[in-house]
Amino acid sequence: MSAVNKSFWQEKRVFITGHTGFKGAWLCLWLHSLGAKVTGYALQPPTSPNLFDICRLDKLIESIQGDVRNEADLQHALHKTKPDLVIHMAAQPLVRESYANPSVTYATNVMGTVNLLEAVRSCSSVRAVVNVTTDKCYENREWVWGYRENEPLGGYDPYSSSKACSELVTASYRSSFFSPKDYEKHGVAIATARAGNVIGGGDWAKDRLIPDCINSLLKNQTIVIRNPQAIRPWQHVLEPLSGYLLLAQKLYQEGTSFGESWNFGPRDSDAKSVEWMVKTLCEQWGSHAFHEINTCQQLHEANYLKLDCSKANIKLGWLPKWDAKTALSKVVEWYKLYQQEQDMRNLCLHQIQSYDNREDFS
C-alpha cells in the first residue's frame, strides 16, 4: 500500500482553492506538515466556528481571500504564486443549499472550474492539477454495487448536476488544451477525484449528518435524522485527502498516464445507513446522546450510493485505513477535546500522523 511521500512534497509549491473549508483546512495542515509551501485561495471560512481559524492556519500558509467566480483575481493569484501543483476544492458543496441557490451553485462549481483551468493554461509553472468533485456526479440508479469511473454522469439535484458538469469541463479541457499527445509542449497533467461522504473533526457545515449530530450533542439535545435508511460511502476526511496527494504526485512525476477520473471511497463494508452512523456515534459519545427520526417529507436525495475504488487500489496503491467505526471514534475524540479547549492544531497533526503511520486496515 502506497503512503504519502514526504520527500516529494518537501518545498513543493501547492495552490489550493477552497482552503478555508473543512476538507481544505485539513489538507493545508497535512501539506504544511510535509514541508510544502502552501497558498490558499478562497472566500472567508463558511462557518463559525471553523477549522481554518481554530488551527490558526493563516500563520502557517499564505492565505488569499478570493472567489473562483472572479477569473481575473484567480488568474492573478495563480501567476503570483507560480505553483508546481494545483488542487481545486472550492465549491458550493451542499445538496440542500443547491436547491435554495442553484445559480450560485452552478456559477461556483462549473464556471469556477472553467476559471481555474483558464488560469492554469496561462501559468507555465503548473505541472499537475487535481479537480475534486464528488461521488454524487454519477447518474444514480439506486443499485447495490459501486459506481466505477466509466459509469454515466448525471445529477438529480443542482449540486450533483453541477459536479457532473465540472467533470465534463475538465475532460473537455484535457482533450482540447492539455492533450496527452501534446504533453511535451504544455507539460500539464489533469485528473478529477470523486470521494464519498467525509467525516472528521472541525466540520460545522449545516445540513450534513455528523455536524448536525455533533451540534445537538454539544447542546445535550436529541439528534433528529431525516433519511435513516439512506446508504452512503462514509469515510474519515484523511482517506480521500491521502488519495488526492498520491494522485497529484503521480501526475507530477509520470504525467498524463494518470490524467483520468478516480474514485476514493471506503470498503464495501463501510457503506452504512444514516441510522447506523447515528446510533454508533451516540454509543461512542456516551451519556446524553439520543436520536429520533423526522417523519416529515424531505427534499430528494439519493437513497443508495457506493463507489468502486478498484482502479485507485490497483494503479495508485491506495487503500482506506480506517473503517467507519474508527472514523467515528476520531470524530468523537476531536469534539470531546474541543469541548475541553485543547490545542486542536496539535490534535489534528496527531491524527494525521496516526493515519499516515498505519499500515493495515482496522
Side-chain angles (χ1 to χ4, degrees):
M1 181 169 59
S2 297
V4 175
N5 187 337
K6 184 171 184 177
S7 62
F8 169 80
W9 290 101
Q10 191 77 31
E11 298 298 315
K12 286 291 190 299
R13 299 185 304 277
V14 186
F15 188 91
I16 301 174
T17 67
H19 69 292
T20 57
F22 162 61
K23 288 175 70 176
W26 273 100
L27 183 59
C28 287
L29 197 57
W30 197 345
L31 281 168
H32 177 78
S33 73
L34 294 171
K37 296 182 176 179
V38 181
T39 299
Y41 179 92
L43 298 172
Q44 287 294 315
T47 63
S48 181
N50 61 82
L51 187 64
F52 182 84
D53 288 337
I54 287 170
C55 289
R56 310 177 303 282
L57 280 167
D58 60 323
K59 307 298 183 184
L60 303 181
I61 70 168
E62 181 182 0
S63 181
I64 300 172
Q65 184 177 344
D67 193 328
V68 292
R69 293 173 293 179
N70 189 318
E71 182 179 357
D73 284 356
L74 179 56
Q75 183 166 317
H76 175 74
L78 200 71
H79 283 221
K80 178 184 176 184
T81 306
K82 295 182 173 60
D84 303 302
L85 305 98
V86 175
I87 301 178
H88 179 46
M89 302 180 74
Q92 191 300 96
L94 302 171
V95 171
R96 292 171 71 84
E97 178 65 19
S98 78
Y99 281 113
N101 291 296
S103 62
V104 171
T105 301
Y106 283 106
T108 303
N109 296 352
V110 183
M111 289 310 300
T113 301
V114 172
N115 293 340
L116 185 278
L117 294 176
E118 278 294 297
V120 169
R121 284 183 66 194
S122 61
C123 187
S124 61
S125 66
V126 178
R127 305 258 65 82
V129 180
V130 175
N131 176 21
V132 176
T133 62
T134 177
D135 57 349
K136 296 175 182 63
C137 68
Y138 292 106
E139 179 184 336
N140 194 303
R141 301 180 183 181
E142 302 286 357
W143 57 29
V144 297
W145 51 85
Y147 292 91
R148 295 174 295 180
E149 289 87 348
N150 60 353
E151 306 282 1
L153 300 174
Y156 181 104
D157 57 88
Y159 167 71
S160 303
S161 169
S162 71
K163 284 299 196 175
C165 291
S166 180
E167 287 277 351
L168 292 172
V169 165
T170 306
S172 174
Y173 266 75
R174 187 164 48 226
S175 298
S176 301
F177 308 112
F178 303 106
S179 173
K181 63 181 175 62
D182 295 325
Y183 181 66
E184 290 187 4
K185 295 180 181 178
H186 58 73
V188 182
I190 299 178
T192 58
R194 305 163 180 176
N197 287 52
V198 298
I199 64 176
D203 189 2
W204 277 276
K206 65 178 182 178
D207 295 326
R208 278 168 50 83
L209 179 64
I210 299 304
D212 286 350
C213 290
I214 293 296
N215 188 50
S216 296
L217 291 171
L218 292 175
K219 296 177 180 178
N220 290 325
Q221 296 175 349
T222 299
I223 296 168
V224 179
I225 54 179
R226 297 189 301 266
N227 300 298
Q229 301 311 311
I231 304 292
R232 294 288 184 272
W234 307 100
Q235 58 187 334
H236 193 275
V237 63
L238 295 179
E239 302 280 18
L241 294 186
S242 69
Y244 305 162
L245 293 175
L246 285 170
L247 176 57
Q249 179 183 329
K250 287 289 189 181
L251 291 169
Y252 185 93
Q253 292 178 325
E254 302 187 36
T256 57
S257 59
F258 287 87
E260 302 172 336
S261 297
W262 301 83
N263 286 340
F264 297 103
R267 303 196 184 206
D268 284 350
S269 58
D270 285 308
K272 303 289 190 183
S273 71
V274 166
E275 190 168 19
W276 185 95
M277 293 290 288
V278 174
K279 283 183 175 179
T280 305
L281 178 65
C282 287
E283 290 170 1
Q284 294 187 358
W285 189 268
S287 60
H288 306 293
F290 308 97
H291 74 280
E292 63 183 31
I293 297 170
N294 184 348
T295 58
C296 297
Q297 185 174 357
Q298 303 296 326
L299 294 171
H300 177 274
E301 293 189 51
N303 288 316
Y304 205 94
L305 184 58
K306 292 173 65 177
L307 292 176
D308 183 331
C309 302
S310 300
K311 187 169 80 168
N313 299 163
I314 295 168
K315 293 189 175 182
L316 292 175
W318 178 87
L319 287 169
K321 295 183 178 183
W322 288 344
D323 62 13
K325 187 170 288 188
T326 303
L328 283 169
S329 73
K330 301 298 181 181
V331 171
V332 169
E333 176 188 37
W334 199 98
Y335 287 102
K336 290 277 191 179
L337 291 177
Y338 174 75
Q339 272 189 311
Q340 300 170 21
E341 300 183 348
Q342 299 295 310
D343 187 329
M344 303 315 294
R345 182 201 286 177
N346 283 343
L347 177 62
C348 288
L349 290 170
H350 173 75
Q351 289 192 349
I352 289 170
Q353 184 178 30
S354 175
Y355 175 86
D356 205 25
N357 289 341
R358 188 169 188 86
E359 294 296 332
D360 60 319
F361 180 76
S362 63

